[in-house]
């Protein structure tokens, strides 16, 4: 129901299942939902690569139905939403109103389209987000992404971690060496600015790329 605009999130089935089957969920009770759905990037390694746009689906007040419990936002690409500034301002206002409620962005901050307005809104929202912000630097040749990550780090009030893709388009020993060198370049530069790099291996679920 979290995908239907204007519908408050309903956790009744979770509560019934837990009581019926005596299940313990590490993350529950919690408020879980989406401010937006979809992404425009079409990354071939992503489960949402067939999405064409980003649409608004819920507000934080609609997601927040279990009072006193943390909020986990599962948006696919909130920072690239046409109304990203508005959404992060909403997070900041919600955080000010509910000072003791933990808020988490479960997915990443898109570092490809960064504006001063979005950075400012992200900075205010990050004061109320308890988990690290996650960004991605997939292709080592995209140096503009590193510059944008530096800006995100400057505005963020919490830690920033960066996924670095490895293992895509590997057909030969030379490809493998370049891939490792590219990761090391990203690793060292990210560590210099205090961003923690994460080695993310390419999952070729379609078996498009094989190196034997």
């Amino acid at each position: 129901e979290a995908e239907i605009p204007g519908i408050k999130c309903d956790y009744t089935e979770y509560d019934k299942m837990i009581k019926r089957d005596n299940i313990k969920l590490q993350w529950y009770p919690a408020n879980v939902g989406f401010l937006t759905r979809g992404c425009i990037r079409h990354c071939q390694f992503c489960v949402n690569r067939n999405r064409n746009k980003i649409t608004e689906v819920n507000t934080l007040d609609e997601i927040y139905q279990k009072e006193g419990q943390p909020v986990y936002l599962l948006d696919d690409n909130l920072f690239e939403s046409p109304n990203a500034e508005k959404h992060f301002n909403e997070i900041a206002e919600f955080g000010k109103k509910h000072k003791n409620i933990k808020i988490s962005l479960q997915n990443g901050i898109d570092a490809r389209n960064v504006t001063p307005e979005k950075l400012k809104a992200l900075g205010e929202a990050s004061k109320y987000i308890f988990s690290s912000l996650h960004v991605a630097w997939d292709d080592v040749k995209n140096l503009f992404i590193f510059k944008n990550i530096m800006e995100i780090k400057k505005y963020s009030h919490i830690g920033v971690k960066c996924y670095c893709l490895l293992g895509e388009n590997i057909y030969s020993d030379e490809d493998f060496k370049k891939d490792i060198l590219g990761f090391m370049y990203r690793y060292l530069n990210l560590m210099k600015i205090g961003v923690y790099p994460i080695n993310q291996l390419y999952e070729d679920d379609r078996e498009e790329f094989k190196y034997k």
Side-chain angles (χ1 to χ4, degrees), residues 58-110:
N58 288 115
T59 66
L60 266 171
D61 287 334
E62 290 166 346
I63 295 170
Y64 185 63
Q65 298 302 309
K66 286 192 168 292
E67 292 190 14
Q69 300 300 331
V71 177
Y72 294 95
L73 296 176
L74 308 181
D75 295 65
D76 308 301
N77 194 346
L78 185 60
F79 204 54
E80 190 54 33
S81 165
N83 296 311
E85 183 181 352
K86 182 191 81 170
H87 294 308
F88 281 96
N89 285 333
E90 180 185 358
I91 293 172
E93 289 301 316
F94 183 88
K96 292 175 185 177
K97 182 179 177 181
H98 304 277
K99 294 185 182 296
N100 296 321
I101 300 302
K102 295 180 177 180
I103 305 171
S104 175
L105 294 180
Q106 294 298 99
N107 289 317
I109 299 297
D110 193 330

Short mmCIF file of all heavy atoms in Angstrom, two decimals, residues 58-110:
data_model
loop_
_atom_site.label_atom_id
_atom_site.label_comp_id
_atom_site.label_asym_id
_atom_site.label_seq_id
_atom_site.Cartn_x
_atom_site.Cartn_y
_atom_site.Cartn_z
N ASN A 58 3.96 8.98 -1.03
CA ASN A 58 3.52 9.18 0.34
C ASN A 58 4.24 10.36 0.97
O ASN A 58 5.28 10.81 0.48
CB ASN A 58 3.78 7.94 1.20
CG ASN A 58 2.85 6.79 0.88
OD1 ASN A 58 3.27 5.75 0.42
ND2 ASN A 58 1.56 6.97 1.13
N THR A 59 3.71 10.83 2.08
CA THR A 59 4.38 11.82 2.91
C THR A 59 4.91 11.10 4.15
O THR A 59 4.49 9.98 4.47
CB THR A 59 3.42 12.94 3.34
OG1 THR A 59 2.41 12.37 4.21
CG2 THR A 59 2.76 13.58 2.13
N LEU A 60 5.78 11.77 4.87
CA LEU A 60 6.30 11.17 6.11
C LEU A 60 5.19 10.96 7.14
O LEU A 60 5.20 9.98 7.88
CB LEU A 60 7.40 12.05 6.69
CG LEU A 60 8.82 11.67 6.29
CD1 LEU A 60 9.82 12.73 6.72
CD2 LEU A 60 9.21 10.33 6.88
N ASP A 61 4.23 11.87 7.18
CA ASP A 61 3.12 11.72 8.14
C ASP A 61 2.28 10.49 7.81
O ASP A 61 1.74 9.84 8.71
CB ASP A 61 2.24 12.97 8.13
CG ASP A 61 2.92 14.15 8.82
OD1 ASP A 61 3.77 13.91 9.69
OD2 ASP A 61 2.59 15.30 8.48
N GLU A 62 2.16 10.15 6.52
CA GLU A 62 1.41 8.95 6.13
C GLU A 62 2.19 7.69 6.45
O GLU A 62 1.61 6.65 6.78
CB GLU A 62 1.09 9.01 4.64
CG GLU A 62 0.05 10.07 4.29
CD GLU A 62 -0.03 10.37 2.81
OE1 GLU A 62 0.89 9.97 2.07
OE2 GLU A 62 -1.00 11.01 2.39
N ILE A 63 3.51 7.76 6.36
CA ILE A 63 4.35 6.60 6.68
C ILE A 63 4.43 6.39 8.19
O ILE A 63 4.44 5.25 8.67
CB ILE A 63 5.77 6.81 6.11
CG1 ILE A 63 5.71 6.83 4.58
CG2 ILE A 63 6.73 5.71 6.59
CD1 ILE A 63 7.01 7.26 3.93
N TYR A 64 4.47 7.48 8.94
CA TYR A 64 4.68 7.41 10.39
C TYR A 64 3.36 7.07 11.10
O TYR A 64 2.61 7.95 11.50
CB TYR A 64 5.23 8.75 10.88
CG TYR A 64 5.59 8.76 12.35
CD1 TYR A 64 6.59 7.93 12.85
CD2 TYR A 64 4.95 9.62 13.23
CE1 TYR A 64 6.93 7.94 14.19
CE2 TYR A 64 5.28 9.65 14.58
CZ TYR A 64 6.28 8.80 15.05
OH TYR A 64 6.61 8.82 16.38
N GLN A 65 3.11 5.78 11.26
CA GLN A 65 1.89 5.30 11.91
C GLN A 65 2.17 4.62 13.25
O GLN A 65 1.26 4.48 14.06
CB GLN A 65 1.15 4.34 10.98
CG GLN A 65 0.68 4.96 9.67
CD GLN A 65 -0.24 6.14 9.90
OE1 GLN A 65 -1.22 6.04 10.64
NE2 GLN A 65 0.08 7.27 9.27
N LYS A 66 3.38 4.18 13.46
CA LYS A 66 3.74 3.55 14.73
C LYS A 66 4.54 4.57 15.55
O LYS A 66 5.75 4.73 15.35
CB LYS A 66 4.56 2.27 14.50
CG LYS A 66 3.71 1.12 14.01
CD LYS A 66 4.45 -0.19 14.07
CE LYS A 66 3.50 -1.36 13.85
NZ LYS A 66 2.54 -1.53 14.95
N GLU A 67 3.87 5.26 16.43
CA GLU A 67 4.48 6.34 17.18
C GLU A 67 5.64 5.85 18.03
O GLU A 67 5.59 4.79 18.65
CB GLU A 67 3.44 7.02 18.06
CG GLU A 67 2.37 7.76 17.29
CD GLU A 67 1.51 8.62 18.19
OE1 GLU A 67 1.89 8.84 19.35
OE2 GLU A 67 0.45 9.07 17.73
N GLY A 68 6.70 6.65 18.02
CA GLY A 68 7.87 6.34 18.83
C GLY A 68 8.86 5.40 18.17
O GLY A 68 9.95 5.18 18.69
N GLN A 69 8.50 4.84 17.01
CA GLN A 69 9.37 3.88 16.33
C GLN A 69 10.13 4.57 15.19
O GLN A 69 9.66 5.56 14.63
CB GLN A 69 8.55 2.72 15.78
CG GLN A 69 7.80 1.94 16.84
CD GLN A 69 8.72 1.34 17.89
OE1 GLN A 69 9.87 1.02 17.62
NE2 GLN A 69 8.20 1.20 19.12
N PRO A 70 11.31 4.05 14.81
CA PRO A 70 12.11 4.67 13.75
C PRO A 70 11.43 4.61 12.39
O PRO A 70 10.50 3.83 12.17
CB PRO A 70 13.40 3.83 13.75
CG PRO A 70 13.02 2.53 14.37
CD PRO A 70 11.96 2.85 15.38
N VAL A 71 11.91 5.45 11.48
CA VAL A 71 11.38 5.53 10.12
C VAL A 71 12.46 5.08 9.14
O VAL A 71 13.57 5.62 9.15
CB VAL A 71 10.93 6.96 9.78
CG1 VAL A 71 10.44 7.03 8.33
CG2 VAL A 71 9.85 7.44 10.73
N TYR A 72 12.13 4.10 8.31
CA TYR A 72 13.05 3.62 7.28
C TYR A 72 12.46 3.99 5.91
O TYR A 72 11.41 3.49 5.53
CB TYR A 72 13.25 2.12 7.37
CG TYR A 72 13.95 1.67 8.63
CD1 TYR A 72 13.21 1.25 9.75
CD2 TYR A 72 15.34 1.68 8.72
CE1 TYR A 72 13.86 0.84 10.91
CE2 TYR A 72 15.99 1.28 9.88
CZ TYR A 72 15.24 0.87 10.97
OH TYR A 72 15.88 0.48 12.12
N LEU A 73 13.15 4.86 5.18
CA LEU A 73 12.71 5.28 3.86
C LEU A 73 13.42 4.43 2.79
O LEU A 73 14.65 4.37 2.77
CB LEU A 73 13.00 6.76 3.64
CG LEU A 73 12.25 7.70 4.59
CD1 LEU A 73 12.70 9.14 4.35
CD2 LEU A 73 10.74 7.57 4.41
N LEU A 74 12.65 3.81 1.91
CA LEU A 74 13.17 2.86 0.94
C LEU A 74 13.22 3.43 -0.48
O LEU A 74 13.34 2.67 -1.44
CB LEU A 74 12.32 1.59 0.93
CG LEU A 74 12.07 0.92 2.28
CD1 LEU A 74 11.22 -0.33 2.09
CD2 LEU A 74 13.37 0.58 2.98
N ASP A 75 13.15 4.75 -0.61
CA ASP A 75 13.11 5.37 -1.95
C ASP A 75 14.24 4.89 -2.84
O ASP A 75 15.39 4.76 -2.40
CB ASP A 75 13.20 6.89 -1.80
CG ASP A 75 11.99 7.46 -1.09
OD1 ASP A 75 11.81 7.15 0.10
OD2 ASP A 75 11.23 8.19 -1.73
N ASP A 76 13.92 4.66 -4.11
CA ASP A 76 14.90 4.16 -5.07
C ASP A 76 15.97 5.21 -5.37
O ASP A 76 17.16 4.90 -5.46
CB ASP A 76 14.21 3.75 -6.38
CG ASP A 76 13.06 2.79 -6.12
OD1 ASP A 76 13.31 1.73 -5.55
OD2 ASP A 76 11.92 3.12 -6.48
N ASN A 77 15.55 6.47 -5.56
CA ASN A 77 16.51 7.53 -5.91
C ASN A 77 15.93 8.87 -5.51
O ASN A 77 15.59 9.71 -6.35
CB ASN A 77 16.83 7.50 -7.40
CG ASN A 77 18.06 8.33 -7.75
OD1 ASN A 77 18.54 9.13 -6.95
ND2 ASN A 77 18.57 8.15 -8.95
N LEU A 78 15.82 9.11 -4.20
CA LEU A 78 15.17 10.30 -3.69
C LEU A 78 15.91 11.58 -4.09
O LEU A 78 15.28 12.60 -4.37
CB LEU A 78 15.08 10.22 -2.16
CG LEU A 78 14.32 11.34 -1.45
CD1 LEU A 78 12.88 11.40 -1.93
CD2 LEU A 78 14.37 11.14 0.06
N PHE A 79 17.23 11.54 -4.16
CA PHE A 79 18.01 12.75 -4.44
C PHE A 79 17.87 13.20 -5.89
O PHE A 79 18.19 14.35 -6.22
CB PHE A 79 19.49 12.50 -4.11
CG PHE A 79 20.26 13.76 -3.80
CD1 PHE A 79 19.83 14.63 -2.83
CD2 PHE A 79 21.42 14.05 -4.48
CE1 PHE A 79 20.54 15.78 -2.54
CE2 PHE A 79 22.15 15.20 -4.20
CZ PHE A 79 21.70 16.07 -3.22
N GLU A 80 17.40 12.31 -6.78
CA GLU A 80 17.22 12.67 -8.18
C GLU A 80 15.76 12.98 -8.50
O GLU A 80 15.41 13.27 -9.64
CB GLU A 80 17.73 11.54 -9.08
CG GLU A 80 17.84 11.88 -10.56
CD GLU A 80 18.66 13.12 -10.86
OE1 GLU A 80 19.64 13.39 -10.12
OE2 GLU A 80 18.35 13.84 -11.81
N SER A 81 14.90 12.95 -7.49
CA SER A 81 13.51 13.31 -7.70
C SER A 81 13.40 14.76 -8.17
O SER A 81 14.18 15.62 -7.75
CB SER A 81 12.73 13.15 -6.38
OG SER A 81 11.48 13.80 -6.45
N PRO A 82 12.43 15.08 -9.05
CA PRO A 82 12.23 16.47 -9.47
C PRO A 82 11.97 17.41 -8.29
O PRO A 82 12.22 18.62 -8.38
CB PRO A 82 11.00 16.39 -10.39
CG PRO A 82 10.99 14.98 -10.87
CD PRO A 82 11.51 14.16 -9.73
N ASN A 83 11.47 16.84 -7.19
CA ASN A 83 11.18 17.63 -5.99
C ASN A 83 12.07 17.21 -4.82
O ASN A 83 11.63 17.20 -3.66
CB ASN A 83 9.70 17.48 -5.60
CG ASN A 83 8.77 18.03 -6.66
OD1 ASN A 83 8.96 19.16 -7.13
ND2 ASN A 83 7.77 17.26 -7.05
N ALA A 84 13.32 16.88 -5.13
CA ALA A 84 14.24 16.41 -4.10
C ALA A 84 14.39 17.40 -2.95
O ALA A 84 14.39 17.03 -1.77
CB ALA A 84 15.60 16.11 -4.72
N GLU A 85 14.52 18.68 -3.29
CA GLU A 85 14.69 19.70 -2.26
C GLU A 85 13.51 19.69 -1.30
O GLU A 85 13.68 19.75 -0.07
CB GLU A 85 14.83 21.07 -2.92
CG GLU A 85 15.08 22.20 -1.93
CD GLU A 85 15.17 23.55 -2.62
OE1 GLU A 85 15.19 23.58 -3.86
OE2 GLU A 85 15.22 24.56 -1.90
N LYS A 86 12.29 19.59 -1.85
CA LYS A 86 11.10 19.56 -1.01
C LYS A 86 11.09 18.35 -0.08
O LYS A 86 10.76 18.46 1.10
CB LYS A 86 9.85 19.53 -1.90
CG LYS A 86 8.54 19.55 -1.12
CD LYS A 86 7.34 19.26 -2.01
CE LYS A 86 7.18 17.77 -2.25
NZ LYS A 86 5.89 17.44 -2.92
N HIS A 87 11.47 17.18 -0.61
CA HIS A 87 11.45 15.96 0.19
C HIS A 87 12.46 16.01 1.34
O HIS A 87 12.16 15.57 2.45
CB HIS A 87 11.71 14.75 -0.69
CG HIS A 87 10.64 14.50 -1.70
ND1 HIS A 87 9.31 14.39 -1.37
CD2 HIS A 87 10.70 14.33 -3.05
CE1 HIS A 87 8.60 14.17 -2.45
NE2 HIS A 87 9.41 14.14 -3.50
N PHE A 88 13.65 16.54 1.07
CA PHE A 88 14.64 16.60 2.14
C PHE A 88 14.28 17.69 3.16
O PHE A 88 14.58 17.55 4.34
CB PHE A 88 16.03 16.82 1.55
CG PHE A 88 16.62 15.55 1.00
CD1 PHE A 88 16.53 15.25 -0.34
CD2 PHE A 88 17.23 14.64 1.84
CE1 PHE A 88 17.04 14.06 -0.85
CE2 PHE A 88 17.75 13.44 1.36
CZ PHE A 88 17.66 13.16 0.01
N ASN A 89 13.62 18.74 2.71
CA ASN A 89 13.10 19.72 3.66
C ASN A 89 12.01 19.10 4.53
O ASN A 89 11.89 19.40 5.73
CB ASN A 89 12.54 20.94 2.92
CG ASN A 89 13.64 21.84 2.39
OD1 ASN A 89 14.74 21.89 2.92
ND2 ASN A 89 13.34 22.57 1.32
N GLU A 90 11.22 18.20 3.93
CA GLU A 90 10.18 17.49 4.69
C GLU A 90 10.82 16.61 5.77
O GLU A 90 10.33 16.55 6.90
CB GLU A 90 9.34 16.62 3.74
CG GLU A 90 8.24 15.83 4.44
CD GLU A 90 7.50 14.88 3.51
OE1 GLU A 90 7.82 14.86 2.30
OE2 GLU A 90 6.61 14.16 4.00
N ILE A 91 11.92 15.94 5.41
CA ILE A 91 12.62 15.12 6.40
C ILE A 91 13.14 15.99 7.54
O ILE A 91 13.03 15.63 8.72
CB ILE A 91 13.78 14.36 5.72
CG1 ILE A 91 13.25 13.31 4.75
CG2 ILE A 91 14.68 13.68 6.78
CD1 ILE A 91 14.31 12.65 3.90
N ALA A 92 13.69 17.16 7.20
CA ALA A 92 14.22 18.06 8.22
C ALA A 92 13.10 18.55 9.14
O ALA A 92 13.27 18.59 10.38
CB ALA A 92 14.93 19.24 7.56
N GLU A 93 11.96 18.93 8.57
CA GLU A 93 10.85 19.41 9.38
C GLU A 93 10.29 18.30 10.27
O GLU A 93 9.94 18.53 11.42
CB GLU A 93 9.74 19.96 8.46
CG GLU A 93 10.09 21.27 7.78
CD GLU A 93 10.41 22.36 8.79
OE1 GLU A 93 9.67 22.49 9.79
OE2 GLU A 93 11.42 23.08 8.57
N PHE A 94 10.21 17.09 9.71
CA PHE A 94 9.75 15.95 10.50
C PHE A 94 10.71 15.68 11.65
O PHE A 94 10.29 15.41 12.78
CB PHE A 94 9.64 14.71 9.61
CG PHE A 94 9.10 13.49 10.31
CD1 PHE A 94 7.74 13.26 10.38
CD2 PHE A 94 9.97 12.58 10.90
CE1 PHE A 94 7.25 12.13 11.02
CE2 PHE A 94 9.48 11.45 11.54
CZ PHE A 94 8.12 11.23 11.60
N GLY A 95 12.01 15.78 11.38
CA GLY A 95 13.00 15.56 12.42
C GLY A 95 12.92 16.59 13.53
O GLY A 95 13.10 16.26 14.72
N LYS A 96 12.65 17.83 13.18
CA LYS A 96 12.50 18.88 14.19
C LYS A 96 11.27 18.64 15.06
O LYS A 96 11.27 18.88 16.27
CB LYS A 96 12.37 20.25 13.51
CG LYS A 96 13.63 20.72 12.82
CD LYS A 96 13.38 22.02 12.07
CE LYS A 96 14.60 22.45 11.26
NZ LYS A 96 14.35 23.68 10.47
N LYS A 97 10.20 18.16 14.41
CA LYS A 97 8.94 17.91 15.12
C LYS A 97 9.03 16.69 16.02
O LYS A 97 8.47 16.68 17.12
CB LYS A 97 7.82 17.73 14.08
CG LYS A 97 6.45 17.50 14.67
CD LYS A 97 5.42 17.36 13.56
CE LYS A 97 4.03 17.06 14.12
NZ LYS A 97 3.04 16.88 13.02
N HIS A 98 9.72 15.64 15.54
CA HIS A 98 9.85 14.39 16.30
C HIS A 98 11.33 14.18 16.62
O HIS A 98 12.00 13.35 16.00
CB HIS A 98 9.31 13.22 15.49
CG HIS A 98 7.89 13.38 15.02
ND1 HIS A 98 6.80 13.11 15.81
CD2 HIS A 98 7.38 13.82 13.83
CE1 HIS A 98 5.69 13.35 15.14
NE2 HIS A 98 6.02 13.78 13.93
N LYS A 99 11.83 14.91 17.58
CA LYS A 99 13.28 14.97 17.85
C LYS A 99 13.89 13.62 18.25
O LYS A 99 15.07 13.40 18.04
CB LYS A 99 13.55 16.01 18.93
CG LYS A 99 13.23 17.43 18.51
CD LYS A 99 13.64 18.42 19.56
CE LYS A 99 13.26 19.84 19.15
NZ LYS A 99 13.98 20.27 17.94
N ASN A 100 13.10 12.73 18.82
CA ASN A 100 13.65 11.46 19.30
C ASN A 100 13.43 10.30 18.33
O ASN A 100 13.78 9.16 18.64
CB ASN A 100 13.02 11.11 20.66
CG ASN A 100 13.38 12.12 21.73
OD1 ASN A 100 14.51 12.60 21.77
ND2 ASN A 100 12.43 12.45 22.58
N ILE A 101 12.88 10.59 17.15
CA ILE A 101 12.60 9.53 16.18
C ILE A 101 13.79 9.41 15.21
O ILE A 101 14.21 10.39 14.60
CB ILE A 101 11.32 9.83 15.38
CG1 ILE A 101 10.13 9.92 16.33
CG2 ILE A 101 11.08 8.74 14.34
CD1 ILE A 101 9.90 8.66 17.16
N LYS A 102 14.30 8.21 15.08
CA LYS A 102 15.41 7.97 14.16
C LYS A 102 14.89 7.81 12.73
O LYS A 102 13.89 7.13 12.51
CB LYS A 102 16.18 6.70 14.58
CG LYS A 102 16.88 6.83 15.92
CD LYS A 102 17.60 5.54 16.27
CE LYS A 102 18.36 5.67 17.57
NZ LYS A 102 19.08 4.41 17.92
N ILE A 103 15.58 8.44 11.80
CA ILE A 103 15.21 8.36 10.38
C ILE A 103 16.38 7.78 9.60
O ILE A 103 17.53 8.17 9.82
CB ILE A 103 14.85 9.75 9.82
CG1 ILE A 103 13.75 10.41 10.66
CG2 ILE A 103 14.40 9.65 8.36
CD1 ILE A 103 13.50 11.85 10.30
N SER A 104 16.09 6.86 8.71
CA SER A 104 17.15 6.23 7.93
C SER A 104 16.79 6.24 6.45
O SER A 104 15.67 5.89 6.07
CB SER A 104 17.39 4.79 8.39
OG SER A 104 18.32 4.14 7.55
N LEU A 105 17.76 6.63 5.60
CA LEU A 105 17.63 6.46 4.15
C LEU A 105 18.30 5.14 3.78
O LEU A 105 19.52 5.00 3.87
CB LEU A 105 18.31 7.61 3.40
CG LEU A 105 17.71 9.00 3.55
CD1 LEU A 105 18.52 10.00 2.73
CD2 LEU A 105 16.26 9.01 3.11
N GLN A 106 17.52 4.17 3.38
CA GLN A 106 18.06 2.84 3.14
C GLN A 106 18.80 2.74 1.80
O GLN A 106 19.63 1.86 1.63
CB GLN A 106 16.93 1.80 3.18
CG GLN A 106 16.29 1.65 4.54
CD GLN A 106 17.26 1.17 5.60
OE1 GLN A 106 17.80 1.95 6.37
NE2 GLN A 106 17.52 -0.12 5.63
N ASN A 107 18.49 3.62 0.86
CA ASN A 107 19.18 3.60 -0.43
C ASN A 107 20.03 4.86 -0.59
O ASN A 107 20.05 5.73 0.26
CB ASN A 107 18.18 3.45 -1.57
CG ASN A 107 17.58 2.05 -1.60
OD1 ASN A 107 18.28 1.06 -1.43
ND2 ASN A 107 16.27 1.97 -1.80
N GLY A 108 20.74 4.94 -1.71
CA GLY A 108 21.80 5.92 -1.83
C GLY A 108 21.40 7.32 -2.24
O GLY A 108 20.26 7.57 -2.66
N ILE A 109 22.37 8.22 -2.15
CA ILE A 109 22.28 9.59 -2.63
C ILE A 109 22.95 9.63 -4.00
O ILE A 109 24.14 9.35 -4.13
CB ILE A 109 22.99 10.56 -1.67
CG1 ILE A 109 22.34 10.53 -0.28
CG2 ILE A 109 22.98 11.97 -2.23
CD1 ILE A 109 20.91 10.98 -0.25
N ASP A 110 22.17 9.97 -5.03
CA ASP A 110 22.69 10.02 -6.40
C ASP A 110 23.62 11.21 -6.54
O ASP A 110 23.19 12.36 -6.43
CB ASP A 110 21.51 10.14 -7.37
CG ASP A 110 21.91 9.89 -8.82
OD1 ASP A 110 23.06 10.19 -9.17
OD2 ASP A 110 21.06 9.41 -9.59
#
